[in-house]
Amino acid sequence: MRESFLELRIKRGESGEGEAFKFAGIAFKNLEFLEEFYYYFATDSTNERAKGGKIFSLFFAEEQLAGKGRLGRQWISKKGGLYFSLVLPLLGAQKLTILSALSVAESIPDARIKWPNDVLYKGKKFCGILGEVWENKAILGIGVNVENEIPPELRDYATNLSNLSMGRKEVFDRITRNFYRNYLNLITGNWEEIIARYRKICETSGKRVKIITHNREIVGIAEICEDGSIIVDGKRIYAGECVHLRNF
Ligand code: BT5
């Protein structure tokens, strides 16, 4: 269902006052491919809005009323966080998701990744990534808890970045800058460099894990493969829930 949300469309080269133009300015500066920036005070989900967008556009919201996680789960998206989705040509959703997680992790000191796409700070999740394929487009949704309060029911495993002195604009600036650098590597065939850095920053590499997929559970030591999939107990897995277990 599409409700009507106030939408501001900013094209490259347009200027104006206010928050929307500040975030748009950062996005246009860092993402050289970007043509259009859509801004919402509130929307259902930037991934949903992005489905109607052109390739090389970005959808940004101050707040999401129906933020989505994977497999129909909810992403709580209160004011104070960053919620945005990029529309890109289809280059393999898995690779783009890996690249996004790496770009976020490289933006925050001491951040780590839990395979495939959770980004952790002090062991707790502060960012989630939702990659979707829609028609001929890859839609990459990135949600980052920056200054938004974490609801009590999530506090055991979720956190925000409020004790780092970085506001939303700085976090957005770093993520988009790193994303563009990594994206150039991807499109120029330099994937090995990305996956090498991903492996280093991914806590799951070499860990004892339990992987839960729709039809099985596998326990063993994890190895991250070249394409971003994982091998556990000799089995290759492309998507699933990953639980880190204690090593013996
Ligand atoms: C994700 O799903 O981690 C993907 C989240 C993607 C969010 C972005 S925001 C911009 C774009 N527009 C959208 O509508 N979505 C994308 P998953 O791995 O399924 O994790 C979801 C689970 O994380 C939930 O079931 C909760 O347990 C937990 N969770 C929900 N909100 C959270 C939050 N704000 N911070 C940390 N954990 C949260």
Side-chain angles (χ1 to χ4, degrees):
M1 183 187 73
R2 176 165 186 166
E3 295 173 38
S4 58
F5 295 108
L6 194 61
E7 174 185 277
L8 179 59
R9 184 178 70 168
I10 303 173
K11 290 191 174 170
R12 180 176 284 280
E14 287 176 354
S15 54
E17 298 288 314
E19 285 295 280
F21 280 94
K22 287 188 184 141
F23 280 104
I26 295 170
F28 286 125
K29 165 175 70 79
N30 291 337
L31 302 168
E32 287 184 18
F33 54 66
L34 197 67
E35 291 168 7
E36 291 181 339
F37 182 96
Y38 290 79
Y39 179 90
Y40 305 85
F41 285 111
T43 189
D44 48 358
S45 149
T46 55
N47 266 39
E48 288 305 310
R49 297 300 107 239
K51 286 178 180 171
K54 289 192 196 136
I55 287 175
F56 298 131
S57 52
L58 190 151
F59 290 73
F60 182 102
E62 296 287 341
E63 182 180 10
Q64 295 185 119
L65 307 173
K68 300 192 302 177
R70 293 176 301 155
L71 306 169
R73 289 187 289 240
Q74 189 192 8
W75 184 257
I76 296 174
S77 312
K78 299 282 174 217
K79 277 205 175 75
L82 280 172
Y83 313 104
F84 61 98
S85 304
L86 263 167
V87 188
L88 292 172
L90 264 183
L91 287 166
Q94 176 93 354
K95 280 189 172 170
L96 286 169
T97 307
I98 291 282
L99 189 151
S100 306
L102 177 66
S103 305
V104 174
E106 289 181 334
S107 301
I108 306 299
D110 304 322
R112 307 279 289 160
I113 295 171
K114 180 163 83 71
W115 182 89
N117 61 357
D118 289 355
V119 196
L120 314 178
Y121 179 69
K122 295 192 193 291
K124 294 185 177 180
K125 178 167 172 172
F126 72 91
C127 167
I129 290 157
L130 177 65
E132 293 186 277
V133 173
W134 187 257
E135 297 165 350
N136 62 336
K137 309 178 267 202
I139 296 177
L140 279 174
I142 301 181
V144 186
N145 300 324
V146 185
E147 292 152 354
N148 50 310
E149 205 180 308
I150 305 299
E153 67 274 18
L154 294 183
R155 282 186 198 154
D156 284 347
Y157 53 91
T159 190
N160 62 20
L161 301 177
S162 58
N163 64 353
L164 290 176
S165 52
M166 258 192 249
R168 288 189 317 143
K169 292 192 189 74
E170 178 163 3
V171 175
F172 186 63
D173 186 31
R174 289 181 180 215
I175 293 174
T176 47
R177 213 174 329 130
N178 285 328
F179 185 91
Y180 189 67
R181 178 172 50 90
N182 289 326
Y183 185 73
L184 285 187
N185 271 325
L186 172 69
I187 61 174
T188 55
N190 215 350
W191 176 250
E192 298 78 50
E193 190 191 316
I194 298 171
I195 202 72
R197 280 194 275 120
Y198 180 90
R199 279 186 178 124
K200 273 198 197 139
I201 211 164
C202 178
E203 278 202 339
T204 312
S205 299
K207 262 235 164 87
R208 198 164 161 266
V209 299
K210 176 158 78 175
I211 303 288
I212 306 157
T213 70
H214 63 286
N215 60 358
R216 57 186 175 165
E217 288 191 8
I218 306 155
V219 173
I221 303 293
E223 188 194 324
I224 308 287
C225 304
E226 180 59 35
D227 62 355
S229 60
I230 196 171
I231 293 187
V232 179
D233 193 25
K235 297 171 192 80
R236 190 151 175 159
I237 301 137
Y238 289 89
E241 279 313 303
C242 170
V243 183
H244 288 174
L245 304 172
R246 280 174 200 282
N247 284 336
F248 296 113

